[in-house]
Amino acid sequence: QVQLVESGGGVVQPGRSLRLSCAASGFSFSNYDMHWVRQAPGKGLESVALISYDGNNKYYADSVKGRFTIFRDNSNNTLYLQMNSLRAEDTAVFHCARQSMISFGRVMDYWGQGTLVTVSS
Amino acid sequence: QSALTQPASVSGSPGQSITISCTGTSSDVGGYDYVAWYQQHPGKAPKLMIYDVTNRPSGVSNRFSGSKSGNTASLTISGLQAEDEAHYYCSSYTSSNTYVVFGGGAKLTVL
């Protein structure tokens, strides 16, 4: 079955960096576009970044552009999010999600449980 | 402030039907038939319930249905059950550079 397992979250000081990982299994990872979506405590969902199946195309939310980098290792079925210059407002649970092939829209059919990032001094 | 507007809360009794609205603009909901709905129980990952406005993924109960009129999409849940109590988020493809936008989420309470 499809599994997405995030890791790498934790407590980090403002201005520092953190790298999140998402280990994928149960499907052909290299065939799918992948997303990072975050959810601040008690808040709604916010798309953060999207990467095409081959890693050649990347999209970012304005709120993270220039600070976050999405990339992937298809040989190891892993998605990453490099987060630099972290701010308090980046505090959230970060989910990775698979973009579905059943739609041409940005539909996410499988999600991980998420990893919590807390930015605090 | 989320890009798509949803009511903060809705409620209904078991067996009843409820509808959750999701209002956007002509750049997202109104411009494309790519609205999706997600269910999220506390502490759990979101689950896709509806895609492309009206379609249900395999395994999702037919008590869940979607529709759209103009810039507003709707999720209807019929025959409410206790396990339907959760947060529901809408999303839409968008022509803006954010590529996908979400609503702020609606908390469904089954009375």
Side-chain angles (χ1 to χ4, degrees):
Chain A
Q1 72 280 21
V2 173
Q3 278 199 307
L4 298 169
V5 180
E6 303 91 340
S7 61
V11 180
V12 61
Q13 293 179 326
R16 304 298 291 266
S17 300
L18 207 59
R19 177 179 293 182
L20 305 183
S21 301
C22 170
S25 61
F27 66 102
S28 297
F29 179 71
S30 61
N31 289 345
Y32 286 83
D33 296 355
M34 296 293 296
H35 295 256
W36 284 102
V37 178
R38 67 184 177 184
Q39 189 167 25
K43 302 296 184 182
L45 302 169
E46 179 191 16
S47 59
V48 172
L50 163 65
I51 187 168
S52 61
Y53 66 98
D54 57 2
N56 287 339
N57 295 292
K58 303 175 184 182
Y59 306 86
Y60 298 94
D62 288 343
S63 57
V64 307
K65 203 170 293 183
R67 300 188 299 123
F68 289 11
T69 302
I70 186 171
F71 61 104
R72 63 193 297 163
D73 181 350
N74 284 345
S75 62
N76 286 307
N77 295 336
T78 305
L79 175 71
Y80 297 96
L81 185 68
Q82 177 66 43
M83 304 186 295
N84 298 333
S85 303
L86 282 161
R87 306 167 180 167
E89 55 264 35
D90 295 318
T91 295
V93 172
F94 283 73
H95 299 273
C96 65
R98 188 181 84 168
Q99 181 161 302
S100 176
M101 287 190 180
I102 58 175
S103 168
F104 290 110
R106 303 297 190 190
V107 175
M108 303 161 205
D109 58 0
Y110 285 94
W111 298 62
Q113 292 272 65
T115 186
L116 176 62
V117 173
T118 303
V119 184
S120 173
S121 55
Chain B
Q1 188 172 350
S2 300
L4 305 180
T5 301
Q6 297 182 243
S9 63
V10 296
S11 63
S13 299
Q16 288 185 331
S17 295
I18 62 95
T19 297
I20 301 172
S21 62
C22 170
T23 301
T25 69
S26 57
S27 296
D28 38 66
V29 174
Y32 307 92
D33 287 334
Y34 293 138
V35 175
W37 290 91
Y38 301 91
Q39 176 193 64
Q40 187 179 34
H41 289 105
K44 301 294 188 182
K47 176 186 177 183
L48 178 65
M49 305 301 285
I50 295 287
Y51 68 96
D52 294 358
V53 180
T54 61
N55 297 324
R56 278 187 311 275
S58 174
V60 172
S61 170
N62 59 9
R63 297 186 299 105
F64 292 82
S65 62
S67 62
K68 191 185 83 166
S69 177
N71 295 337
T72 298
S74 298
L75 172 72
T76 297
I77 308 174
S78 60
L80 269 180
Q81 300 178 0
E83 61 259 36
D84 299 332
E85 186 163 292
H87 278 86
Y88 291 85
Y89 295 91
C90 61
S91 75
S92 174
Y93 178 87
T94 173
S95 59
S96 79
N97 59 0
T98 54
Y99 63 86
V100 63
V101 290
F102 287 94
K107 178 176 169 56
L108 169 62
T109 301
V110 180
L111 302 170

